[in-house]
Amino acid sequence: MFTDAPPRKANRAGFLESDRMGTLALPQDDRLTSIAKSMESAMKNAASANARRLYAQFLSAASEFYQVPNCTIRVLAARPRRVRERGTFELFGDYDPETSIIRVWRRTAVRKEVTSFGTFVSTLCHEFCHHLDFQKFGFEDSWHTRGFYERAAALYHHARGTPLKKLFWLPVGGGRWRIDWQRTNRSAKTNAASV
Ligand SMILES: [Zn+2]
């Protein structure tokens, strides 16, 4: 996971604000976790009416909690030719700020493998955080900043009921960062051991 490079002039303040915003308010109840749990069993048939109803339910529960207009989801079998996401290497979804439509695809372009449930939820949370950037935080754009990935991770771990890891970052030049997974995982292990 790499962050986007900071914009040169315009929108730089918004970018820096997004970068600094490393936390996200989360529901204190299980309104999202319970839907995510049902989703996991329903997703054995990802295109079933039941599964699609649950994806929509998840997004409307999240939109209601964050007090933003609802967004729509389209689950596609394979990755479309044109995607809106920039700067990320592993592409499983995109978000259109004009229409508030999230698209998630179940097969990767390169290996044609079906993405796992974890990847699916992670993509859903990632794209929903783009929705929040525009609809809740009012950013002019939704950059992949360190803060963005931290917010998306907070939502993901909340939805799955897994412990949140503190993310550590390494600079890669040009104002960009990547997650230092070694340090991130080591620190998560230490934390788990000390509980
Ligand atoms: Zn993205």
Side-chain angles (χ1 to χ4, degrees), residues 85 126 130 144:
E85 287 276 9
H126 176 112
H130 283 310
H144 299 103

Side-chain angles (χ1 to χ4, degrees), residues 2-189:
F2 286 80
T3 62
D4 294 334
R8 282 182 195 273
K9 271 202 301 276
N11 300 338
R12 201 180 168 93
F15 181 95
L16 294 175
E17 197 187 330
S18 163
D19 193 50
R20 277 193 303 266
M21 202 196 293
T23 55
L24 184 69
L26 296 164
Q28 296 299 303
D29 52 34
D30 68 346
R31 67 182 92 178
L32 296 180
T33 40
S34 62
I35 302 171
K37 231 175 237 149
S38 316
M39 231 192 268
E40 186 162 15
S41 44
M43 267 186 66
K44 287 180 185 106
N45 181 358
S48 71
N50 187 32
R52 280 183 307 192
R53 189 177 50 82
L54 289 164
Y55 310 144
Q57 226 175 62
F58 182 88
L59 291 174
S60 67
S63 297
E64 196 187 294
F65 174 74
Y66 292 105
Q67 297 177 314
V68 292
N70 211 343
C71 52
T72 325
I73 180 169
R74 287 194 187 141
V75 179
L76 312 176
R79 185 186 163 180
R81 204 179 297 253
R82 290 185 55 185
V83 293
R84 278 166 203 278
E85 287 276 9
R86 331 124 290 169
T88 39
F89 287 90
E90 293 196 77
L91 289 173
F92 303 107
D94 69 359
Y95 170 75
D96 183 347
E98 305 283 309
T99 57
S100 297
I101 292 175
I102 288 174
R103 298 189 301 179
V104 182
W105 37 97
R106 299 281 292 140
R107 274 171 212 282
T108 58
V110 185
R111 286 179 290 165
K112 311 270 183 222
E113 282 165 8
V114 175
T115 53
S116 67
F117 177 69
T119 304
F120 183 88
V121 176
S122 166
T123 305
L124 194 60
C125 292
H126 176 112
E127 303 307 338
F128 183 77
C129 282
H130 283 310
H131 183 59
L132 285 184
D133 272 6
F134 290 103
Q135 297 293 338
K136 185 164 185 72
F137 306 126
F139 293 133
E140 300 84 356
D141 201 347
S142 180
W143 309 271
H144 299 103
T145 59
R146 287 175 295 179
F148 177 86
Y149 283 120
E150 284 157 6
R151 298 193 293 279
L155 186 59
Y156 168 79
H157 286 290
H158 171 77
R160 297 213 69 193
T162 47
L164 179 62
K165 296 175 184 175
K166 177 183 165 35
L167 299 179
F168 290 89
W169 296 92
L170 281 173
V172 289
R176 301 178 68 206
W177 300 83
R178 72 172 172 84
I179 292 176
D180 182 345
W181 280 114
Q182 225 178 0
R183 211 173 149 205
T184 297
N185 288 331
R186 201 167 49 221
S187 141
K189 247 179 236 159

